[in-house]
Amino acid sequence: MANYMRFTFQNLLAAAAAAILPCLTAPLSSFAATANVSVINFAFVPAATNIFAGDQVVWTWGSGFHSTTSSQTPPLWDSLPQNTPFVFSNTFTSGGTFPYLCTVHGFTGTINVAAANVPPTVVITNPAANAVFAAPASVTIRASAADSDGTVTNVQFLVGPTVLANQAAAPFSAVTSNLATGGYTLSAVASDNLGATATNSITISVVTPVPLTISEIQQSPPANFQFNYAANAGLSYVVQRSTDLASTNWTTLLTNIAAGNPATFTDANATNNPGFYRVGRLPNP
C-alpha cells in the first residue's frame, strides 16, 4: 500500500490521507600445465599426448641419439638430434593435432591440443545496480548467461555469502524475501559444461520509508502551485490531482524516483478550481 497526502490549493489546507495500490573466475584448463613424454626403446611414451592450449610438453631421453621434430613443414618445433641425457620443451598456444617424429629413427608421436575453454558470461538484468527498495523488501533477481564454446549448466544466486538458489536452465531467476533495512550484495555465478565460472555482482539498498508529509506549500497566481513532500532518495513516488476527490477522477501528473528528501513538485498548470493533490509512494518493483 502507498499512503497519499492530498489537499486543495484553493484554501491551502491539508486534506485527509488516502491510500492507493500502488566478476571472473578462470577455468582450470586456462592455467598452464606440463605434460611429460619419455623416449624409451625407440618410442615416444605416451605415443599420444592430450593437452590444452597454453600447456607445455617436455620430452626427455636418457639414452640414445634422438630428436623430437614436428611433421609440419616448416617444423613447428625441432630439438635437432641430440645425445643423452637431453630435455626439450615446447609450449602449444593453439588447438589442433600435431604429429611429430624422431628424425634419426623414424618413430612417431602425436600431440592433441584442445582449445582453451572460454568461460561463460553472466549479467544481472534485474534489479538495477544501486537500486533502492522499501523495507521489508522482496527482490526478484534475474540474470542472463551464455557460453560461446559450450553450454551454461548452472546459475547460482547469492545474497552476500548466502546461496539463494541454483538454476540449471534459463530463464535464470530467484527471489529473496523480507530483506531488512541495510545494504546487500547480489551475485550470479554461471558455470559452463567444462567447469569454468563467471560472476556478476551488484549492490542494492533497503531503506525504512519515511512517513509521507506535505510541507512548504506555495501558490503563485495565476497557475503555479508548488509543495515539498517527504521522500526516500531512490524510492518511486506518484503525484496526482483531482477536482472533486472522487476515487475515479485522479490524474497522474508525475511519477519519479526521488533524488533526495524532501522532494519538490511544481504544477505549472494549476488552473482547475478547486484542485486537490495527493502524493503516494509506489510499491517496490
Side-chain angles (χ1 to χ4, degrees), residues 81-284:
Q82 303 289 339
N83 278 310
T84 58
F86 190 76
V87 176
F88 180 81
S89 65
N90 186 67
T91 299
F92 292 81
T93 58
S94 60
T97 299
F98 302 96
Y100 67 99
L101 75 160
C102 170
T103 57
V104 180
H105 304 100
F107 55 88
T108 62
T110 303
I111 306 296
N112 300 308
V113 184
N117 181 31
V118 178
T121 58
V122 62
V123 177
I124 294 176
T125 57
N126 186 81
N130 303 313
V132 180
F133 297 84
S138 293
V139 180
T140 299
I141 312 170
R142 297 187 181 93
S144 174
D147 188 42
S148 62
D149 61 349
T151 58
V152 174
T153 57
N154 187 71
V155 173
Q156 184 177 82
F157 293 96
L158 302 94
V159 180
T162 303
V163 175
L164 179 63
N166 288 278
Q167 297 290 331
F172 302 107
S173 66
V175 178
T176 178
S177 302
N178 298 316
L179 294 180
T181 299
Y184 296 88
T185 299
L186 309 180
S187 300
V189 182
S191 301
D192 71 8
N193 55 304
L194 292 178
T197 63
T199 301
N200 181 225
S201 298
I202 65 169
T203 58
I204 64 170
S205 298
V206 178
V207 299
T208 300
V210 297
L212 276 172
T213 58
I214 301 296
S215 63
E216 302 297 326
I217 301 168
Q218 300 177 34
Q219 184 179 3
S220 300
N224 277 354
F225 188 68
Q226 179 177 294
F227 59 86
N228 291 344
Y229 59 92
N232 292 87
L235 295 186
S236 295
Y237 295 84
V238 61
V239 179
Q240 296 178 319
R241 182 177 64 192
S242 174
T243 57
D244 58 11
L245 293 178
S247 61
T248 59
N249 194 29
W250 288 96
T251 300
T252 296
L253 302 179
L254 177 69
T255 299
N256 75 329
I257 297 175
N261 185 25
T264 299
F265 170 77
T266 301
D267 184 359
N269 297 289
T271 56
N272 293 328
N273 193 7
F276 299 89
Y277 294 79
R278 65 182 184 181
V279 179
R281 178 176 52 82
L282 295 176
N284 287 329

Side-chain angles (χ1 to χ4, degrees), residues 11 16 19 25 35 39 63 116 137 139 184 198 234-235 268 275:
N11 55 20
T25 300
V39 180
S63 62
V139 180
Y184 296 88
L235 295 186

